[in-house]
Each structure stands twice: as C-alpha cells, then as structure tokens.
Amino acid sequence: MLSSNERKNLVIETGIGEYERYAIKTHFVQVGENFADIIEKYVMPHYKEGDIVSCSEKIVALCQERIIHRRDMKISFWAKFLSKFASHPSHGIGVGEAIKMQFAIDQVGLLKVLWAAFASAVTKLFGKKGVFYEIVGMEVSGLDGFYDHVWEEYRDIGILIPENPAKVCDEMNEKFGIDMMIVDANDYGQELLGKGSSLNKIEDKHLLEMIKDNPAGQGRECTPIILIRKKA
C-alpha cells in the first residue's frame, strides 16, 4: 500500500492545487543498473494517468555510471589550501572538503576556481552566497557522494549529475507513458534538473512546490522516487 514517508506530509498545497506524494521504496540501486527496469518494477504497478514521477538524480546517475572514485583523485596543494576557507554545508559535500575542491579544479581549471573563490569571498561581505558555484557551474555544485554519514556505500565514490536528464524523462515517457522529472532535492533545497516534454504544461516553480519539503526524505529510506497525484 502506498504511503508518505515518516514525518512527511502526504498532501501539499501548491499554486495549482493540492497534491498527494507517495514514497516509492526501491532496493539500494547499484552502479550500472538499468533505469527503465527500476521504473517498470517499482513505479508502473502504481502509476495512473495524470500522475507525476519525481526521481532523485542519484539513481539516474548511478544507472548511467556517472561516478568517480576517490582512488583516482590526486589532491593538490591548491585544493587543500582553498578548501580551508570554504564553508562546510550541513548536508552533502561542499568545496570545504578538499576532494570536492580538487574536482572543481579538474573540471574548470585552477584559474577559474581562484577567481570563483575570490568573488565568493567579496560577495559574502555583502550577504550574497552561492557565487562560487555560480561561477564553476552545475557539474561541480551537483557532485554528490564522498561521505559516509548517511550512506557508507558513498564514502569512496563521487556521484556526478545525470547526463541529459530531460532526455531520460522523455525516454521513460516513450516507453511507459509516464510524466517524469529528475530532481536534486534535500531538506535544505530543491533543484529541477530535467523534466519530460509532457510536463511543459506545468511551470517549473509549481513542480518544485510539489516537493518543496523533500518528501523522499534525507536518510536511508530508500525512497528515491515519489509518485505525485492531484488530490481528488
């Protein structure tokens, strides 16, 4: 029987009405699994026309094998030095960790990272946050993993953002007829990474309202997929 996650409300009010959010429990998804098989096994027995499927970017990225290994990362002097001056978020991994700072350097180059660090320091004086990630880009800001405070399995791997998430959503619509969005969500914020063309009729802000309290949860719930249904 479908239900919401513990300590999460089933119903949420949005600018386009009330929606119910049902947590879809899966197995622990491993690297290289077939994403379509996961949707078919866990979502399709419950999906009804008009539902919206909200899926965590992590399992899509894992299925796409979009990972990097700690053993392959060589931490430089600059990564260690710059990470000392970065903030440490209370969730996930930020550039306050040397390994993510090194990933940023590898992705965009040292000069751009130095500029981003300088600009971030200056703009923080005026109360503006997030400038570092605005400069280095989504690939860096979206890096997950390299932590074991919730998932021991993620201690030595970094999970990149999915490749072409909108295309993935369209492929699932073509195969199963479902309306899907792929999100990067936690208890501190939500970001829409991609949505199927079938969801273009709904503004992004309303789609994000449907998951603004992170109904998938923040711990080991193993509910990376949320089935969203308009309340009758």
Side-chain angles (χ1 to χ4, degrees), residues 29-33 35 38 55-68 139 142-144 154 157-165 168 182-183 193:
V29 176
Q30 304 285 341
V31 176
E33 290 198 43
F35 183 62
I38 294 170
C55 183
S56 165
E57 92 289 359
K58 283 192 188 69
I59 66 168
V60 181
L62 288 168
C63 290
Q64 293 178 337
E65 300 185 45
R66 294 268 294 160
I67 63 166
I68 53 176
E139 196 72 56
L143 179 69
D144 209 340
Y154 295 160
I157 65 169
I159 307 171
L160 308 178
I161 61 174
E163 185 176 8
N164 207 336
V168 173
I182 295 173
V183 302
L193 299 186

Side-chain angles (χ1 to χ4, degrees), residues 24-178:
I24 303 293
K25 193 172 183 64
T26 69
H27 64 278
F28 182 80
V29 176
Q30 304 285 341
V31 176
E33 290 198 43
N34 187 294
F35 183 62
D37 288 348
I38 294 170
I39 296 300
E40 184 173 26
K41 179 177 180 179
Y42 294 109
V43 176
M44 295 316 297
H46 307 290
Y47 188 85
K48 296 180 181 179
E49 185 176 355
D51 288 349
I52 297 171
V53 177
S54 174
C55 183
S56 165
E57 92 289 359
K58 283 192 188 69
I59 66 168
V60 181
L62 288 168
C63 290
Q64 293 178 337
E65 300 185 45
R66 294 268 294 160
I67 63 166
I68 53 176
H69 294 275
R70 186 184 294 273
R71 64 176 180 266
D72 297 327
M73 300 284 291
K74 184 178 180 180
I75 310 301
S76 65
F77 161 81
W78 281 108
K80 295 175 183 176
F81 177 75
L82 292 172
S83 64
K84 294 178 181 179
F85 301 96
S87 59
H88 292 260
S90 54
H91 62 285
I93 176 175
V95 288
E97 302 293 335
I99 195 165
K100 185 161 184 176
M101 186 66 78
Q102 184 62 51
F103 178 74
I105 293 171
D106 292 343
Q107 283 291 306
V108 303
L110 177 59
L111 288 179
K112 193 167 187 177
V113 168
L114 287 170
W115 164 245
F118 172 76
S120 176
V122 172
T123 53
K124 278 181 181 178
L125 296 175
F126 300 95
K128 183 175 174 57
K129 299 180 179 180
V131 170
F132 183 91
Y133 292 114
E134 288 179 11
I135 294 174
V136 297
M138 184 177 292
E139 196 72 56
V140 175
S141 64
L143 179 69
D144 209 340
F146 291 132
Y147 59 80
D148 58 4
H149 58 275
V150 176
W151 297 99
E152 182 180 349
E153 296 87 347
Y154 295 160
R155 179 180 60 228
D156 294 317
I157 65 169
I159 307 171
L160 308 178
I161 61 174
E163 185 176 8
N164 207 336
K167 181 181 178 183
V168 173
C169 294
D170 282 337
E171 289 172 347
M172 294 303 103
N173 179 266
E174 183 178 346
K175 188 174 183 66
F176 300 114
I178 63 175

